[in-house]
Amino acid sequence: QVQLVESGGGLVQAGGSLRLSCAASGRTFSSYAMGWFRQAPGKEREFVARISWSVTTYYADSVKGRFSISRDNAKNTVYLQMNSLKPEDTAVYYCAANGRGSNYQNYDYWGQGIQVTVSS
């Protein structure tokens, strides 16, 4: 069983930056692919970024060049650095573990979610 706890969300102006963190429990963190997803009100949960156990990264087209995913296996933590934020990035952001691809249904473990609000 893996528990995930997100932190670092909040309110920021358009053009600003935030860094989300996701701390994971468990001894097998380094073997998991980790992902970030987001869900805006009235919309389906969507893929944001993913990092494999081998540190290969993947991004949604909407965030490519602005967001960066990374991991620190010594700290059992995955990060999402978000730059040049736009109002349309406003959503609840979720950390996910042990999955593949960009379909949220393929991930086994989820954090509780954290709100990110970008004001115009």
Side-chain angles (χ1 to χ4, degrees), residues 38 46-49 58-67 86 89 102:
R38 66 187 181 187
E46 66 173 4
F47 170 75
V48 175
Y58 307 86
Y59 298 93
D61 287 343
S62 59
V63 307
K64 204 171 291 184
R66 301 188 297 121
F67 290 12
K86 305 175 181 180
D89 294 318
S102 59

Side-chain angles (χ1 to χ4, degrees), residues 4-85:
L4 304 173
V5 179
E6 300 102 335
S7 61
L11 173 65
V12 64
Q13 288 189 332
S17 298
L18 282 175
R19 188 176 82 155
L20 303 183
S21 299
C22 173
S25 65
R27 294 175 292 178
T28 56
F29 172 81
S30 61
S31 67
Y32 288 153
M34 301 293 295
W36 285 97
F37 291 77
R38 66 187 181 187
Q39 188 165 17
K43 294 189 176 182
E44 192 169 335
R45 191 167 299 191
E46 66 173 4
F47 170 75
V48 175
R50 174 176 174 266
I51 186 165
S52 71
W53 64 270
S54 62
V55 203
T56 303
T57 58
Y58 307 86
Y59 298 93
D61 287 343
S62 59
V63 307
K64 204 171 291 184
R66 301 188 297 121
F67 290 12
S68 177
I69 188 171
S70 60
R71 66 191 300 161
D72 185 337
N73 290 336
K75 296 182 179 180
N76 277 17
T77 301
V78 63
Y79 304 97
L80 185 68
Q81 178 67 43
M82 304 186 294
N83 299 327
S84 302
L85 282 160

